[in-house]
Structures are given as C-alpha cells and as structure tokens.
Amino acid sequence: MADRKERIRAAETTSRRGSRPILAAIIMFAGAFMLILVMIASIALGASDIEWKTVWAAIFDFNPELTSHQIIREVRLPRAVTGALVGAFLAVSGAILQGITRNPLAAPSIMGITDGAAFALAIIFSFFPGMAYSGLMFWSFMGAGLGTVLVFGIGSLSKSGLTPVKLALAGIAVGALLRSLSSGISIYNDVAQNMSFWYAGGLAGAKWISVQLLVPIGAVGMAIALLIAGSITVLNLGEEVARGLGQRTFWTKCAGVLAVMMLTGAAVSVAGAVGFLGLVVPHITRFLVGVNYRWIIPCAAIIGALLLVLADIGARMVNPPFETPVGALTAAIGVPFFLYLARSKGGESK
Amino acid sequence: MTNNFMKNHPFLFMGTLFLFLVLAILVCLNTGAATITPGQVFQTFIGNGGEKNALILFEFRLPRIVIAILVGAGLAVSGAILQSITKNDIAEPGIVGINAGAGLAVVLFIFFFQGSIAELGGISTYFLPAAALAGALSAAILIYIFAWKQGIAPVRLILVGIGVNSGFNAILIIIQLKMDPQDFSQAITWLSGSIWGSDWSYVLAILPWIFVLIPLAFLKASSLDIIHMGDEVAAGLGIHVEKERAIMLLVAVALAGACVSVAGNIAFLGLVAPHLVRRIIGPKHQYLLPASALMGALLLLIADTVGKNLLAPSEIPVGIVVSALGAPYFIYLLLKTN
C-alpha cells in the first residue's frame, strides 16, 4: 500500500517536472522547417546533382519536356516524401509501444513485425508472382499485423508478463520462426534474391503509389495515436495509477497496438526492414520534451522524418554510385544505442 | 516416473540416444536423390557395391553425415556450457550473437581473400575455422565488455547479446549486397546454415577442434557443476570462479566458431538439445554434456535428412529446419518460465 502511494507521488512529480511544452513547440516548428530543407537537399542530391533552382522550378513550374524535371517529379520527390512519412510512422510506433508497455526497449524492429511482412511477401512472390504493387503492399501490411499479434500475444501470455527481456525474446523467437518459414518458401521457389534486397531496407523503390498507400493508412494511425496520447501519458505512469484515475487501460493498449500495426505495417511494406529508428527516436524525443505524450508523438514524428531523410541521403553518399541499404545506416546508429539501453535499463528486473 | 528412472540411469538414456543416432545414420545413408537400399549400403561398405554407389556414399553422404554429427555435438555442448556459466536457460550461441560474429568473419574472409585463395587450393578450408574463431571471440569479448557491470547479470547478457547480434547482421547485409550475385547466393545459403556440399576436407578442418574441445569440456564437468550452484558456493569450495568461467566460455565460443565455419549459422540447436537432456536426466554435467552432444548430433542429423528430402529436389538449408522446429520450443519455454 505504502509502495503504491509512493509510486503515485513519484509519478506525479515526474509528470509535473518532466514536461517542456515550449521546447516541444520550438522542435515542431524548427523541425518542420529543417525537414523541408533536408527534403529539398534529398531531391537535389543524387546520381546526377540538380541545382536548387531547378528543384524549385520542377515543383512549382513543372515542364514535362525537361528530363531533370521528370527525374524530380517521378523519382526524387516521391522518395523524399516516402522517407519522411516512413520515418515519422516508425518513430511514432516506437513511441506508442514504449509508452504502453513501459518498456524502454520496445520498438517495431525487434518485434517480429518486419519478419511478418517478409513472410507475407515470400508467399506472394512465390505463389502469386506478378501481383500489382498495391496488392503487395496490402499483404505485407497484413503480415506485419500477424507478426505484431504473435509477439505481443506471446509476450503478454508468459508468466511474468511483458518485461523488456520477454518482449525482446518473443520478438526473436517469432522473428526466427517466420524468417525460417519465409526462407524455406523463397528458396524452394527461387525468389530468395528478391527477398534479401527487401530485407536490407531502402527507399530506392519509392513511387507515388507508395505515398498514396502511406497517406490514408498513416493518417488514421496518427489520428488514433494523437487521440490516445493523453491516456498513454497516464498509462506510462503505471498501470495502477491509470486504473486509479478511472482509465480503461485495456482499451488504451488495444488502440495503441492497432495504431502501431497500421503505422508500422504501412512503413514496412514500402521501405522494408529499416531497423532501430523506432527505438532511438522516442528516447531522444522524451529526453528533449519530457513525458507528455501529447508532445512526444508529434515531435517524434518530426524527428523521425528528419532522421530517415538524412539517413537516406547518407545511404546515397557513402559509396556512390551504389546505394548503401538505409537499414544498415540506421542500425549503425541504433545498435550502440540499444547496447547502452540494455546496459543501463534492461538489467533491472522490471 | 520415467523421468526419475532416467535420472538414475543416465547411461541407459545415452545408450538409447546412441542407438537412435545409429538408426538415423542408416536412414540417412539410404535416402536422397538416389535411394540406396540397406543391402546395397552393406555391399558397398565391404567393397562390392559398384562404383556409382561407392561414390555417392563415400564422397557425398558420409562426409555430410559426419559433419552433421560433429557440428550438432559441438553446438549442443557449446549451448550447455553457456547455459551453465551464465545460469541462464535461454543462453545459446545463436541468440547472443556468437554465431553471427563467426559468420561475419567467414564472410569477410571469403569476400577479401576469395580470389587469391582459388590459387592456394584447398588450404583455405583449414583457415576458415580460425577466421570463424576470431569472429566468435570478438563477439564474445564485445558481449562480455558491454554486459559487465560489477558482474554479469544473466538478463543483461542476453539483451546485450541480442544487440550485438543485430549489429553483426547489419554489417553482414552491407557486405552481402556488395558481392556479385553468385557469391551472394552462396553466402546467403551458407549463412542460413547448411551442410550440403561438404566434403572430407571440411571434416578434417573441424575434427581437431571438436576432438580437443569436447573432451576438455567433459573433463571440466565437475567445475561446471560447482559454478552452476552459484558463485559463493563455488568460491567456498575453492574454485577460482571467474577463471574457470572464462576458460569454459572460451571453450564454448571456440566450439561454436568451429561449427559455424563449416555449417553456417545454425541457431536454436544449442538451446534445445541441452534443454531436452536436462529435463530427462537432470543437471549433472558429467552426464549432461555427453548426452547433449549425442542429442545435438541426433537432432541435426534428423533435421538435415528432413531438409534434404522434404522438398526434393530442392534442399532446405538445415539451419532453417532447425529454427522452424526450435523456435516453437523456445516460445514454449518463454511462456512457461519466469
């Protein structure tokens, strides 16, 4: 009893002390401005560098007879937009997951979601070759949902509940299982190479149709995320506190998982396995703006978008004219961060 | 009831395992792209089987069987040791990134030296275990450094291992995509864990490692028992806990590295085999280690036979079969334990 009171008091002080709305507003405006700059840079840089003036002209004064305008309109612009959307979605998914599980290591990439999508793709590539792009995306989206449900289910059904370790291990086990099934299927049907390129993660294949898929699904997912942001803030203070304040925690969690499935599913089906972005960005955001998820979620979206567009520029610059998989770049940032978190927070029994 | 019976008669259990292993070897000799009846196998062994059968048996099937047995035994013992010294039931060379480290070293080795090695001929095969060992060791050292914080907490070790694992895998992906398509598909098949295309040179390459390290592990069984009881008990009984732990860790890592160098990344075997054995005959390492070795060999041989024949004429890499079977067991463990 004393323990509970103490926890509630501790929670109250952290939430009062820990929210910085002014900084959050600055991040959102400055971040949005920087995002636009970075996206223009992303459009201008590439196999053939295009002048900034041309970029401007291609967007606002389109001339279909110029090749550079065509490149910008059909290749570079959708790629930049897709990068921003995917980055935002992954970051928000990570923020929701970390909020509702109170688990610092929760993130889409360690939760079997990408493997679920890959599993669906392996089946499609093998048995329904030549399916339209939108169909591919729909099924990889369903696969991502399957992965999420499996990992979450196993993690929550286990005896001690959804601890950081349990979640990570359930993610590994489900991931390994789905991965082994998809490699079996794809090796048998000789589509393994298609799969590996997808696994590496990348925005090179982004087209306008990917944006068309990302926007509606993402809008619904983001709307859910913002609607439950307040509840997540309370939930993050502890299950008991939330119940004590009259919140139906079960429904908050369900809505959260649904939003994660939509956002991650859409992101993964377009960009493949982009790891660790969903882990790192929410931590950075929380460090900057505090514990209120009404601020965390929009800020995480902006920061995530910014980081992925930057990482994508990096992926093109590291070893030109070849593209380094952007997933490898995000992992290069994310793995040390994960190790740091595992060292500082994962070892405690929670 | 049966469990207690088996606990009191560990040799009976090992005998049964051995019998099954012999059976599996016989089945494995008979099945494949061309079926060879047991009678023909026998005829071939005493020298009257005809050239074609002799070629198939001695140059294709037998080395593959021997590799499966050696690798299975090695990985199982490696897993058993890791589980004991970390006092953690889910420790396993595949999960904590030791296999990935070894795999990365091997792929790097192939990537940088493939061209020059073609001229050197078969010698490169013998360098592979050494390269894999270096990779496995650096993975282990990394994990140890990151997980060390006034001692090694089992949970932290696993989490750090998972992180190291994904780090190595990310580097692997970059290197794979730089390879030309043929090397690439070779590397990907090898990485999923496969023991096809093995010939006697691979057996020779891995044999010394297995034959030195596994008996060494058996010799150390009693100190493993004591370490498993807890650091204080062990110190009280006059054991240098950290020193013994480091030695055993080295043995486990070297075993995993050697196995990965010839068979690729086979996960979950080192987890499942010792686990099953411990449930049946209990935690005494004197029996646990040899029985795990037999169990590992048996499981891998069965998995390889399944992978070879299930979707014939395509072969499924054995690592995929093992994780398709091992992952559900792992999930079951997760649900059951705290």
Side-chain angles (χ1 to χ4, degrees):
Chain A
M1 203 53 202
D3 178 45
R4 188 181 159 187
K5 263 186 196 160
E6 211 170 87
R7 244 197 259 169
I8 295 180
R9 199 179 314 129
E12 275 167 356
T13 43
T14 36
S15 68
R16 212 177 318 126
R17 194 184 53 208
S19 193
R20 289 180 282 276
I22 298 171
L23 187 56
I26 295 174
I27 287 175
M28 284 200 306
F29 286 111
F33 182 66
M34 274 170 71
L35 181 60
I36 292 171
L37 283 186
V38 171
M39 279 171 75
I40 294 174
S42 161
I43 293 168
L45 299 169
S48 64
D49 281 346
I50 297 173
E51 274 183 49
W52 294 57
K53 238 193 304 181
T54 323
V55 175
W56 182 266
I59 296 172
F60 294 104
D61 185 19
F62 181 58
N63 181 355
E65 277 163 29
L66 292 174
T67 330
S68 57
H69 282 207
Q70 289 279 8
I71 293 178
I72 289 170
R73 272 278 173 120
E74 295 307 319
V75 182
R76 302 262 175 98
L77 190 58
R79 180 171 184 162
V81 174
T82 308
L85 289 174
V86 166
F89 292 177
L90 289 175
V92 171
S93 299
I96 298 175
L97 278 176
Q98 289 172 13
I100 61 178
T101 60
R102 305 182 63 214
N103 182 334
L105 294 179
S109 54
I110 58 165
M111 294 211 8
I113 294 174
T114 45
D115 295 311
F119 175 64
L121 281 182
I123 292 179
I124 299 292
F125 282 152
S126 306
F127 301 113
F128 307 97
M131 182 182 266
Y133 192 65
S134 52
L136 273 182
M137 286 208 236
F138 172 75
W139 283 107
S140 67
F141 178 71
M142 296 307 280
L146 173 79
T148 322
V149 170
L150 280 177
V151 172
F152 244 89
I154 290 166
S156 330
L157 281 179
S158 71
K159 265 189 188 160
S160 51
L162 211 57
T163 60
V165 188
K166 278 279 155 77
L167 200 65
L169 289 176
I172 286 183
V174 170
L177 182 60
L178 291 173
R179 210 163 33 241
S180 66
L181 292 178
S182 24
S183 359
I185 295 170
S186 56
I187 286 175
Y188 181 60
N189 293 292
D190 219 8
V191 292
Q193 220 157 356
N194 291 356
M195 293 299 301
S196 316
F197 274 92
W198 185 86
Y199 257 118
L203 297 163
K207 305 182 184 100
W208 279 119
I209 193 168
S210 8
V211 178
Q212 279 167 17
L213 175 106
L214 283 170
V215 168
I217 300 178
V220 178
M222 286 297 252
I224 299 177
L226 287 171
L227 272 179
I228 60 169
S231 313
I232 295 179
T233 311
V234 179
L235 188 59
N236 196 34
L237 301 178
E239 187 97 28
E240 288 169 39
V241 182
R243 285 225 187 90
L245 289 169
Q247 192 189 111
R248 273 177 278 179
T249 55
F250 176 75
W251 291 110
T252 310
K253 283 183 183 170
C254 282
V257 172
L258 183 70
V260 168
M261 262 174 62
M262 300 185 81
L263 292 171
T264 315
V268 163
S269 65
V270 171
V274 179
F276 292 101
L277 199 72
L279 176 83
V280 177
V281 174
H283 280 280
I284 299 174
T285 316
R286 216 172 298 123
F287 174 74
L288 290 173
V289 306
V291 294
N292 189 339
Y293 276 80
R294 285 211 178 91
W295 295 112
I296 290 179
I297 285 176
C299 289
I302 297 274
I303 296 176
L306 202 57
L307 269 185
L308 190 58
V309 177
L310 274 176
D312 185 45
I313 296 179
R316 279 177 280 167
M317 306 300 275
V318 170
N319 185 21
F322 302 106
E323 294 206 4
T324 310
V326 72
L329 274 191
T330 52
I333 308 165
V335 167
F337 196 81
F338 181 90
L339 289 177
Y340 160 74
L341 285 178
R343 196 177 151 76
S344 61
K345 297 190 175 158
E348 294 142 27
S349 55
K350 212 178 178 183
Chain B
M1 191 56 197
T2 37
N3 276 356
N4 278 335
F5 179 75
M6 279 301 184
K7 262 177 201 158
N8 297 329
H9 300 83
F11 287 110
L12 189 66
F13 177 63
M14 283 188 239
T16 322
L17 277 181
F18 186 73
L19 214 66
F20 276 120
L21 187 60
V22 173
L23 258 177
I25 293 173
L26 289 180
V27 172
C28 203
L29 281 173
N30 295 334
T31 53
T35 311
I36 303 176
T37 63
Q40 281 170 319
V41 171
F42 181 73
Q43 288 293 329
T44 313
F45 268 98
I46 57 170
N48 309 328
E51 238 170 71
K52 191 180 149 224
N53 281 353
L55 180 75
I56 293 179
L57 285 180
F58 292 129
E59 294 305 317
F60 294 113
R61 294 208 182 147
L62 212 52
R64 186 167 170 168
I65 291 172
V66 175
I67 290 271
I69 291 173
L70 292 176
V71 168
L75 285 175
V77 170
S78 171
I81 295 173
L82 281 180
Q83 286 170 17
S84 295
I85 57 175
T86 61
K87 291 195 256 353
N88 190 330
D89 278 359
I90 45 182
E92 198 257 347
I95 293 175
V96 298
I98 292 175
N99 284 0
L104 178 61
V106 170
V107 169
L108 278 176
F109 186 80
I110 294 173
F111 186 62
F112 285 116
F113 297 106
Q114 189 69 291
S116 52
I117 267 165
E119 291 134 37
L120 285 176
I123 306 169
S124 67
T125 316
Y126 303 100
F127 284 118
L128 280 182
L133 184 66
L137 256 183
S138 21
I141 291 171
L142 269 182
I143 297 165
Y144 220 78
I145 290 173
F146 281 116
W148 182 270
K149 200 167 144 191
Q150 284 120 42
I152 302 277
V155 168
R156 198 163 53 230
L157 186 81
I158 294 286
L159 281 176
V160 166
I162 292 170
V164 169
N165 199 359
S166 38
F168 279 130
N169 281 327
I171 303 175
L172 264 180
I173 286 179
I174 300 181
I175 294 169
Q176 279 171 22
L177 292 183
K178 280 184 189 288
M179 291 178 156
D180 61 71
Q182 201 185 340
D183 284 353
F184 168 80
S185 67
Q186 203 181 341
I188 205 112
T189 314
W190 176 80
L191 280 172
S192 346
S194 83
I195 44 186
W196 58 26
S198 17
D199 54 48
W200 290 109
S201 66
Y202 287 94
V203 176
L204 282 180
I206 188 185
L207 209 59
W209 300 89
I210 300 285
F211 274 175
V212 171
L213 294 169
I214 288 192
L216 185 65
F218 290 173
L219 277 179
K220 291 276 183 184
S222 58
S223 29
L224 273 180
D225 278 337
I226 298 172
I227 292 177
H228 194 54
M229 272 190 254
D231 291 4
E232 278 150 39
V233 181
L237 287 170
I239 291 230
H240 291 283
V241 183
E242 289 304 338
K243 191 181 132 206
E244 289 291 311
R245 212 202 310 261
I247 293 175
M248 293 318 289
L249 183 67
L250 205 62
V251 172
V253 168
L255 271 175
C259 292
V260 169
S261 71
V262 298
N265 189 352
I266 297 177
F268 290 107
L269 188 73
L271 174 97
V272 173
H275 236 277
L276 287 174
V277 170
R278 197 178 294 121
R279 286 186 61 166
I280 298 172
I281 63 168
K284 258 190 126 177
H285 288 86
Q286 194 188 341
Y287 308 123
L288 176 71
L289 292 181
S292 299
L294 284 171
M295 182 67 101
L298 177 63
L299 288 180
L300 195 61
L301 194 55
I302 293 176
D304 186 43
T305 313
V306 169
K308 196 168 68 172
N309 295 305
L310 189 66
L311 294 180
S314 318
E315 296 204 9
I316 316 172
V318 65
I320 290 175
V321 181
V322 173
S323 33
L325 299 172
Y329 185 78
F330 184 70
I331 291 172
Y332 159 77
L333 278 183
L334 267 185
L335 289 178
K336 219 182 53 118
T337 54
N338 283 316

